[in-house]
Amino acid sequence: MSELRPDLQIISEWITPGSRVMDLGCGDGTLLKHLNDTLKVKGYGLEIDIDNIVQCIQSGVNVIQADLDEGLSDFEGAPFDFVVMTQALQAVKHPDRLLNEMLRVGHEGIVTFPNFGHISSRLQLAFGGHMPVTKILPSEWYNTPNIHLCTLTDFEHLCRNNGIHIIERTVVDRSHKAGLGMRLLPNLLGEIAIYRFKRK
Amino acid sequence: MPDRIPEDSVGIISPQTMHFDAPLALVCGRTLPQYDLIYETYGEANADKSNAILICHALSSDHHAAGYHSMEDRKPGWWDACIGPGKVIDTNHFYVVSLNNLGGCKGSSGPTSINPATGKTYGPDFPIVTVKDWVKSQALLADRLGIDSWQAVIGGSLGGMQVLQWSIDYPDRIRNAAVIASAPKLTAQNIGFNEVSRQAIMTDPEFHEGRYSEHGVVPRRGLMLARMLGHITYLSDDAMREKFGRELREGRINYGFDVEFQVESYLRYQGQSFVDRFDANTYLLMTKALDYFDPAADYDHDLSKALSHARANFLVISFSSDWRFAPERSREIVRALRNNNHNVSYADIEAPHGHDAFLLPIQHYLDVFGAWMSQRVKEVSA
């Protein structure tokens, strides 16, 4: 098996073995498959794309077709231990509501998103005068699925306003490696943010 | 008639009949002293028959799910799109069993069979059978076939209800469960449609309280109306529009009550051909079985509780334009399974065909179902 993407590796280190996990926008199920195989978690993925659903089922991952923009009203009772969402927060219609939903159906939430405060974005906007196009945010402004981009500062502000306590934060670059610079100046040098949080 | 049997067909199939002498106590309180079940099998059983798959049929289907009975057959079995070598339910790997349920009119004991007590056909005296009864009789058939536990039990619509019941009543005998275009119980609207169908049959002057065969007649008009109504509800508005639009048969309006629109002609044809192959009393029984199905009723009306002891891995599939067994009904099943931490995957297939979609070779449907079945192949070859 090929090596796990480092951001998924970081997430899997935060997850307790044997816990109940929901992965919002689970893609082809890579993370859940890894968590099932290594940590014996009981997991469900939520996914909208039918080809991804086929991939999940093919690899034996429980996947439920759902549109995250419709919220998680289908999920009541029996709370999950962790609700994970990688690289989807910036693409949903109501990221604030979804964050709250994550903590309604789960004890802890984990999200990853591209940091719009990264220096390359700032430079493109400041000196190029155009919406940033980067390796992590490759689309043009008019065709991007990412409709709610934010910086680390923005995200932490949103959490504070919603009574959400951040337990851990890690920032990595686009090859998902962490470095000293990123630890010192995360909002400037971190390309991808990974947060773990719960209700205060 | 097939010019030649396609390579991915199970080929020419001969149904078999199993006779049961031990009485079967039914949910309605009555007992069938003896009965027959007719069934077909496709593919080869392995040594311990751990590769056996049960196919449960829907309202008007039967044991003939795949292949042809003869070279004169116009059409293959009702689920030939999914069963065969290399198909989703791959007969190169699985031993597939499909039967006609009790109360049917295609060879299993039902209203058209001889009542041993009277020497005459049962007619309306055949007892009311429920999904639970069917599952019990299917388990008895499995015993006789030497199948301890099904690798999978699979069904669409009323067939999906049998799959759910299997997972509740025999959790140790079903390892995987596919519930397609189904519901945990009917809505009032659905029961309403069924009642209109039954009234169409029962108010036909030739119904004779169900004893029409003793009068040498058939309530043709009633059964035809029931089928026409059913047919409308199994299609979507879009599917009907696409198929017929408002196309006129003679290209002009005649201002009369003869067939003018193509859709009228189609429905009449469907209704009439149904009369030739289906029994009115069986139709009444099957729609009642649909209406009565409500496994949660035995568990404080809590579907999660009903499914709490299930152990199978589930696949639930719905179709976007199916308004008779709407996607929301499938999501209720998924919720109940997930509340129990059961393994379940769910897909709502984008399809314009309405309820009938579950019988059609729709690519995304075959992809999802096929991916799930490929996991089952791994299990049997492990």
Side-chain angles (χ1 to χ4, degrees):
Chain A
M1 192 183 116
S2 63
E3 214 170 296
L4 195 67
R5 236 169 63 195
D7 57 334
L8 303 184
Q9 185 62 47
I10 291 166
I11 291 170
S12 68
E13 281 161 20
W14 288 349
I15 302 252
T16 321
S19 56
R20 248 181 129 236
V21 177
M22 180 153 72
D23 186 356
L24 307 182
C26 66
D28 64 3
T30 303
L31 175 67
L32 276 176
K33 171 108 179 77
H34 177 76
L35 296 176
N36 289 345
D37 292 348
T38 57
L39 299 176
K40 300 269 169 278
V41 307
K42 191 80 190 184
Y44 299 95
L46 256 57
E47 177 56 47
I48 192 166
D49 179 76
I50 194 80
D51 295 321
N52 277 335
I53 288 169
V54 171
Q55 288 291 313
C56 288
I57 295 175
Q58 196 102 51
S59 50
V61 165
N62 291 319
V63 62
I64 293 167
Q65 189 163 27
D67 182 351
L68 295 182
D69 281 334
E70 287 170 10
L72 305 175
S73 59
D74 243 16
F75 290 77
E76 271 149 23
F80 288 84
D81 298 300
F82 298 92
V83 179
V84 181
M85 182 162 63
T86 60
Q87 299 293 334
L89 186 72
Q90 74 280 2
V92 298
K93 273 190 195 151
H94 301 286
D96 52 338
R97 284 190 220 162
L98 197 54
L99 273 187
N100 285 317
E101 282 276 89
M102 287 173 79
L103 291 180
R104 183 177 62 79
V105 302
H107 294 303
E108 281 188 21
I110 296 171
V111 296
T112 76
F113 57 86
N115 173 26
F116 204 62
H118 183 258
I119 186 166
S120 64
S121 301
R122 296 191 197 197
L123 290 174
Q124 287 186 48
L125 198 54
F127 298 106
H130 61 81
M131 283 297 282
V133 176
T134 66
K135 284 253 168 64
I136 292 189
L137 297 167
S139 313
E140 297 287 349
W141 64 272
Y142 48 83
N143 64 9
T144 178
N146 303 318
I147 52 178
H148 282 115
L149 290 159
C150 69
T151 68
L152 271 63
T153 311
D154 292 327
F155 181 77
E156 289 171 21
H157 184 72
L158 175 65
C159 288
R160 240 185 343 270
N161 285 349
N162 281 275
I164 293 169
H165 167 66
I166 292 166
I167 307 167
E168 275 183 78
R169 178 187 78 189
T170 297
V171 291
V172 291
D173 64 17
R174 67 169 165 273
S175 52
H176 299 101
K177 291 195 179 72
L180 180 65
M182 277 173 261
R183 275 200 292 279
L184 295 174
L185 295 166
N187 200 26
L188 193 66
L189 300 178
E191 286 180 277
I192 294 171
I194 312 171
Y195 281 93
R196 176 178 169 206
F197 51 91
K198 67 177 184 183
R199 185 66 62 203
K200 257 182 201 156
Chain B
M1 165 169 92
D3 296 335
R4 55 178 192 86
I5 300 291
E7 267 175 34
D8 61 355
S9 168
V10 296
I12 302 281
I13 295 293
S14 302
Q16 299 163 71
T17 302
M18 191 78 82
H19 181 71
F20 295 82
D21 272 324
L24 182 71
L26 303 169
V27 169
C28 69
R30 292 173 60 190
T31 298
L32 270 181
Q34 49 171 286
Y35 53 95
D36 290 331
L37 290 176
I38 189 168
Y39 64 97
E40 292 182 1
T41 69
Y42 323 111
E44 299 289 323
N46 58 16
D48 58 357
K49 298 196 172 166
S50 60
N51 65 336
I53 285 186
L54 176 67
I55 306 293
C56 302
H57 74 70
L59 181 67
S60 56
S61 301
D62 52 44
H63 53 283
H64 186 40
Y68 299 85
H69 281 161
S70 73
M71 291 304 283
E72 276 70 56
D73 260 357
R74 276 197 314 119
K75 281 197 283 186
W78 57 269
W79 218 11
D80 200 73
C82 282
I83 305 169
K87 292 186 186 171
V88 165
I89 301 169
D90 191 342
T91 47
N92 291 326
H93 298 281
F94 299 113
Y95 172 61
V96 180
V97 179
S98 174
L99 80 162
N100 182 209
N101 285 327
L102 286 173
C105 53
K106 296 294 175 64
S108 288
S109 294
T112 56
S113 329
I114 300 293
N115 179 351
T118 63
K120 292 194 285 189
T121 54
Y122 274 105
D125 297 330
F126 197 84
I128 294 272
V129 278
T130 63
V131 169
K132 211 172 160 64
D133 296 323
W134 286 340
V135 166
K136 192 160 146 191
S137 67
Q138 289 161 3
L140 292 166
L141 178 66
D143 291 343
R144 292 277 284 275
L145 295 174
I147 297 161
D148 297 334
S149 137
W150 299 101
Q151 172 57 22
V153 181
I154 298 171
S157 191
L158 178 55
M161 293 174 167
Q162 294 162 55
V163 178
L164 276 181
Q165 194 73 53
W166 259 100
S167 74
I168 295 167
D169 289 351
Y170 299 97
D172 298 327
R173 299 190 70 176
I174 164 173
R175 296 192 291 278
N176 297 286
V179 181
I180 302 167
S182 194
K185 62 175 185 255
L186 289 195
T187 58
Q189 187 194 41
N190 255 329
I191 294 173
F193 280 126
N194 285 345
E195 176 57 8
V196 174
S197 300
R198 285 190 294 265
Q199 283 301 321
I201 292 169
M202 292 191 293
T203 56
D204 186 309
E206 301 200 301
F207 182 62
H208 299 290
E209 310 274 297
R211 301 194 187 280
Y212 42 84
S213 69
E214 292 172 33
H215 290 76
V217 291
V218 172
R220 295 185 67 88
R221 279 162 289 181
L223 188 53
M224 179 178 145
L225 281 179
R227 184 58 173 182
M228 287 168 79
L229 173 71
H231 220 83
I232 294 169
T233 67
Y234 300 143
L235 297 175
S236 69
D237 191 15
D238 284 348
M240 288 187 92
R241 182 168 40 240
E242 197 166 306
K243 214 164 175 173
F244 310 107
R246 290 176 51 88
E247 198 182 321
L248 294 162
R249 230 161 56 131
E250 294 174 12
R252 64 190 162 90
I253 286 181
N254 291 316
Y255 299 101
F257 295 106
D258 285 338
V259 165
E260 292 188 289
F261 293 98
Q262 287 292 6
V263 63
E264 295 173 311
S265 154
Y266 171 79
L267 286 175
R268 285 191 197 190
Y269 170 77
Q270 287 292 338
Q272 271 156 3
S273 66
F274 189 61
V275 173
D276 298 330
R277 66 185 171 88
F278 216 77
D279 172 61
N281 281 317
T282 288
Y283 201 82
L284 298 179
L285 281 177
M286 295 281 166
T287 55
K288 270 291 175 189
L290 264 171
D291 292 357
Y292 290 138
F293 180 72
D294 183 9
D298 299 335
Y299 298 85
D300 305 328
H301 295 278
D302 180 345
L303 188 62
S304 296
K305 212 187 262 184
L307 285 163
S308 61
H309 299 296
R311 290 170 59 181
N313 303 305
F314 286 82
L315 173 68
V316 179
I317 294 179
S318 60
F319 297 89
S320 59
S321 60
D322 183 354
W323 55 279
R324 227 180 136 172
F325 288 79
E328 173 49 28
R329 312 309 315 284
S330 285
R331 283 198 285 269
E332 285 175 40
I333 299 170
V334 173
R335 263 199 300 276
L337 291 167
R338 210 198 43 235
N339 281 341
N340 284 298
N341 252 344
H342 294 327
N343 286 319
V344 53
S345 283
Y346 165 67
D348 180 38
I349 305 296
E350 195 68 43
H353 317 81
H355 186 56
D356 275 353
F358 84 91
L359 295 169
L360 302 175
I362 298 163
Q363 197 55 50
H364 280 152
Y365 168 39
L366 297 181
D367 290 347
V368 167
F369 193 8
W372 190 77
M373 288 306 299
S374 73
Q375 288 286 309
R376 316 294 66 97
V377 171
K378 278 186 213 157
E379 288 164 7
V380 291
S381 20

Short mmCIF file of all heavy atoms in Angstrom, two decimals, chain B residues 15-36:
data_model
loop_
_atom_site.label_atom_id
_atom_site.label_comp_id
_atom_site.label_asym_id
_atom_site.label_seq_id
_atom_site.Cartn_x
_atom_site.Cartn_y
_atom_site.Cartn_z
N PRO B 15 -36.80 -24.65 -13.85
CA PRO B 15 -37.17 -24.47 -12.45
C PRO B 15 -37.33 -25.83 -11.76
O PRO B 15 -37.58 -26.84 -12.42
CB PRO B 15 -38.51 -23.75 -12.52
CG PRO B 15 -38.81 -23.49 -13.94
CD PRO B 15 -37.87 -24.25 -14.78
N GLN B 16 -37.18 -25.81 -10.45
CA GLN B 16 -37.39 -27.03 -9.66
C GLN B 16 -38.42 -26.74 -8.58
O GLN B 16 -38.60 -25.60 -8.18
CB GLN B 16 -36.08 -27.44 -8.99
CG GLN B 16 -34.97 -27.74 -10.00
CD GLN B 16 -33.62 -27.74 -9.35
OE1 GLN B 16 -33.32 -28.66 -8.60
NE2 GLN B 16 -32.82 -26.71 -9.61
N THR B 17 -39.05 -27.82 -8.12
CA THR B 17 -40.06 -27.64 -7.08
C THR B 17 -39.67 -28.44 -5.85
O THR B 17 -39.24 -29.58 -5.95
CB THR B 17 -41.44 -28.09 -7.58
OG1 THR B 17 -41.78 -27.34 -8.73
CG2 THR B 17 -42.51 -27.85 -6.52
N MET B 18 -39.80 -27.80 -4.69
CA MET B 18 -39.53 -28.48 -3.42
C MET B 18 -40.87 -28.61 -2.69
O MET B 18 -41.58 -27.63 -2.52
CB MET B 18 -38.56 -27.65 -2.58
CG MET B 18 -38.01 -28.36 -1.38
SD MET B 18 -36.70 -29.52 -1.79
CE MET B 18 -35.28 -28.41 -1.88
N HIS B 19 -41.17 -29.85 -2.30
CA HIS B 19 -42.42 -30.06 -1.57
C HIS B 19 -42.15 -30.12 -0.06
O HIS B 19 -41.18 -30.74 0.38
CB HIS B 19 -43.08 -31.37 -2.03
CG HIS B 19 -44.37 -31.64 -1.33
ND1 HIS B 19 -45.52 -30.91 -1.57
CD2 HIS B 19 -44.68 -32.53 -0.35
CE1 HIS B 19 -46.49 -31.35 -0.78
NE2 HIS B 19 -46.01 -32.34 -0.03
N PHE B 20 -42.98 -29.45 0.71
CA PHE B 20 -42.84 -29.46 2.17
C PHE B 20 -44.08 -30.08 2.79
O PHE B 20 -45.20 -29.64 2.51
CB PHE B 20 -42.67 -28.02 2.70
CG PHE B 20 -41.39 -27.36 2.24
CD1 PHE B 20 -41.30 -26.77 0.98
CD2 PHE B 20 -40.27 -27.33 3.07
CE1 PHE B 20 -40.13 -26.16 0.55
CE2 PHE B 20 -39.10 -26.72 2.64
CZ PHE B 20 -39.02 -26.14 1.38
N ASP B 21 -43.86 -31.10 3.63
CA ASP B 21 -44.98 -31.79 4.27
C ASP B 21 -45.29 -31.25 5.65
O ASP B 21 -46.41 -31.34 6.11
CB ASP B 21 -44.66 -33.29 4.40
CG ASP B 21 -45.09 -34.04 3.15
OD1 ASP B 21 -46.14 -33.65 2.59
OD2 ASP B 21 -44.37 -34.97 2.74
N ALA B 22 -44.27 -30.71 6.32
CA ALA B 22 -44.50 -30.19 7.67
C ALA B 22 -45.34 -28.92 7.59
O ALA B 22 -45.09 -28.06 6.75
CB ALA B 22 -43.16 -29.90 8.34
N PRO B 23 -46.34 -28.81 8.45
CA PRO B 23 -47.21 -27.63 8.41
C PRO B 23 -46.43 -26.33 8.71
O PRO B 23 -45.48 -26.36 9.49
CB PRO B 23 -48.25 -27.88 9.50
CG PRO B 23 -48.05 -29.28 9.96
CD PRO B 23 -46.71 -29.74 9.52
N LEU B 24 -46.85 -25.26 8.06
CA LEU B 24 -46.21 -23.96 8.28
C LEU B 24 -47.21 -23.03 8.95
O LEU B 24 -48.25 -22.68 8.38
CB LEU B 24 -45.76 -23.37 6.93
CG LEU B 24 -45.04 -22.02 6.99
CD1 LEU B 24 -43.64 -22.17 7.59
CD2 LEU B 24 -44.94 -21.40 5.59
N ALA B 25 -46.90 -22.64 10.19
CA ALA B 25 -47.78 -21.71 10.91
C ALA B 25 -47.52 -20.30 10.40
O ALA B 25 -46.37 -19.85 10.35
CB ALA B 25 -47.50 -21.80 12.40
N LEU B 26 -48.57 -19.61 10.02
CA LEU B 26 -48.43 -18.28 9.41
C LEU B 26 -48.76 -17.18 10.42
O LEU B 26 -49.48 -17.42 11.40
CB LEU B 26 -49.35 -18.16 8.20
CG LEU B 26 -49.14 -19.21 7.11
CD1 LEU B 26 -50.28 -19.15 6.10
CD2 LEU B 26 -47.80 -19.00 6.42
N VAL B 27 -48.28 -15.98 10.14
CA VAL B 27 -48.51 -14.84 11.02
C VAL B 27 -50.01 -14.58 11.20
O VAL B 27 -50.47 -14.20 12.28
CB VAL B 27 -47.81 -13.58 10.45
CG1 VAL B 27 -48.24 -12.33 11.19
CG2 VAL B 27 -46.29 -13.74 10.52
N CYS B 28 -50.81 -14.81 10.17
CA CYS B 28 -52.24 -14.53 10.24
C CYS B 28 -52.98 -15.48 11.18
O CYS B 28 -54.17 -15.30 11.44
CB CYS B 28 -52.87 -14.59 8.85
SG CYS B 28 -52.93 -16.26 8.17
N GLY B 29 -52.28 -16.51 11.68
CA GLY B 29 -52.91 -17.43 12.62
C GLY B 29 -53.32 -18.75 11.97
O GLY B 29 -53.63 -19.72 12.65
N ARG B 30 -53.30 -18.77 10.65
CA ARG B 30 -53.66 -20.01 9.97
C ARG B 30 -52.40 -20.82 9.66
O ARG B 30 -51.28 -20.33 9.79
CB ARG B 30 -54.44 -19.69 8.69
CG ARG B 30 -55.82 -19.10 9.01
CD ARG B 30 -56.53 -18.63 7.76
NE ARG B 30 -56.74 -19.71 6.81
CZ ARG B 30 -57.16 -19.52 5.55
NH1 ARG B 30 -57.43 -18.29 5.13
NH2 ARG B 30 -57.32 -20.55 4.74
N THR B 31 -52.62 -22.05 9.25
CA THR B 31 -51.50 -22.95 8.99
C THR B 31 -51.64 -23.55 7.60
O THR B 31 -52.74 -23.94 7.20
CB THR B 31 -51.48 -24.08 10.04
OG1 THR B 31 -51.31 -23.50 11.32
CG2 THR B 31 -50.36 -25.06 9.78
N LEU B 32 -50.54 -23.59 6.88
CA LEU B 32 -50.53 -24.31 5.61
C LEU B 32 -50.09 -25.74 5.93
O LEU B 32 -48.95 -25.94 6.36
CB LEU B 32 -49.54 -23.68 4.65
CG LEU B 32 -50.00 -22.58 3.71
CD1 LEU B 32 -48.84 -22.13 2.84
CD2 LEU B 32 -51.17 -23.01 2.86
N PRO B 33 -50.96 -26.72 5.72
CA PRO B 33 -50.59 -28.08 6.11
C PRO B 33 -49.43 -28.62 5.28
O PRO B 33 -48.59 -29.37 5.78
CB PRO B 33 -51.87 -28.88 5.85
CG PRO B 33 -52.73 -28.04 4.96
CD PRO B 33 -52.32 -26.62 5.18
N GLN B 34 -49.39 -28.28 4.03
CA GLN B 34 -48.29 -28.66 3.14
C GLN B 34 -48.23 -27.65 2.02
O GLN B 34 -49.21 -26.96 1.74
CB GLN B 34 -48.52 -30.07 2.59
CG GLN B 34 -49.91 -30.26 2.03
CD GLN B 34 -50.05 -31.57 1.30
OE1 GLN B 34 -49.55 -31.74 0.20
NE2 GLN B 34 -50.74 -32.51 1.94
N TYR B 35 -47.08 -27.56 1.39
CA TYR B 35 -46.94 -26.55 0.34
C TYR B 35 -45.74 -26.86 -0.54
O TYR B 35 -44.86 -27.66 -0.18
CB TYR B 35 -46.80 -25.14 0.96
CG TYR B 35 -45.69 -25.04 1.98
CD1 TYR B 35 -44.41 -24.60 1.62
CD2 TYR B 35 -45.90 -25.42 3.30
CE1 TYR B 35 -43.39 -24.55 2.55
CE2 TYR B 35 -44.88 -25.37 4.24
CZ TYR B 35 -43.64 -24.93 3.85
OH TYR B 35 -42.63 -24.89 4.78
N ASP B 36 -45.74 -26.23 -1.68
CA ASP B 36 -44.62 -26.33 -2.63
C ASP B 36 -43.95 -24.97 -2.78
O ASP B 36 -44.63 -23.94 -2.70
CB ASP B 36 -45.12 -26.72 -4.03
CG ASP B 36 -45.60 -28.16 -4.08
OD1 ASP B 36 -45.09 -28.98 -3.29
OD2 ASP B 36 -46.50 -28.45 -4.90
#
